[in-house]
Amino acid sequence: MVFAIGGDLPFGRLSAPGAGMMPKLAAGLMMLFAALIALSANRTQEFAAIDWSDRGHAFLVVAITAAAVAAYRPLGFLLTMTLLVFALLVLVERRNALVAAAYSIGVTLFAYWLFGKALKSPLERGLLWF
């Protein structure tokens, strides 16, 4: 997500770094180290002892999150985060749909107020335009 959103920021040079250099560098290093850990993990006994029966659950979380990342710009913060929390609660955690809807709306409105209004962070407007 850092690469997708940070693409608008200038990267710069090593002698004159731009605003996008540090986020992209940090995200790139995290991906590199995660790949190194994943590649070398099968050599340890701890990796062999992992119970992989929950991989469907993990895949569902990754797929829903990836869909939310793709929908963030067109739909905006409010719709995307509400749908993300709702989908995670209903599809992954198997919660009641009405309770999940109320919770996801409440959490998203609180996050919108906190980040968008109180902290004045620029949030993606999307379809709702506010």
Side-chain angles (χ1 to χ4, degrees):
M1 184 164 170
V2 172
F3 284 110
I5 293 175
D8 297 337
L9 298 173
F11 189 78
R13 302 182 312 273
L14 194 57
S15 61
M21 181 180 279
M22 194 59 182
K24 290 178 188 173
L25 182 63
L29 287 173
M30 282 193 289
M31 290 189 298
L32 173 71
F33 292 138
L36 290 174
I37 290 171
L39 291 174
S40 65
N42 61 356
R43 298 182 194 145
T44 63
Q45 290 180 343
E46 290 84 8
F47 185 78
I50 293 176
D51 179 25
W52 291 98
S53 64
D54 204 23
R55 66 181 170 270
H57 183 261
F59 175 75
L60 198 55
V61 170
V62 170
I64 291 170
T65 306
V69 168
Y72 183 71
R73 278 204 169 158
L75 296 182
F77 178 81
L78 288 173
L79 285 177
T80 304
M81 291 304 118
T82 302
L83 291 172
L84 171 69
V85 174
F86 181 77
L88 288 174
L89 288 173
V90 171
L91 298 176
V92 176
E93 296 297 324
R94 309 271 190 236
R95 303 290 183 200
N96 182 324
L98 291 175
V99 174
Y103 182 80
S104 62
I105 291 170
V107 166
T108 303
L109 289 176
F110 175 74
Y112 177 76
W113 171 81
L114 179 66
F115 292 104
K117 300 299 179 188
L119 297 175
K120 295 179 180 25
S121 297
L123 299 175
E124 196 68 42
R125 294 177 180 226
L127 292 177
L128 297 181
W129 288 100
F130 63 94

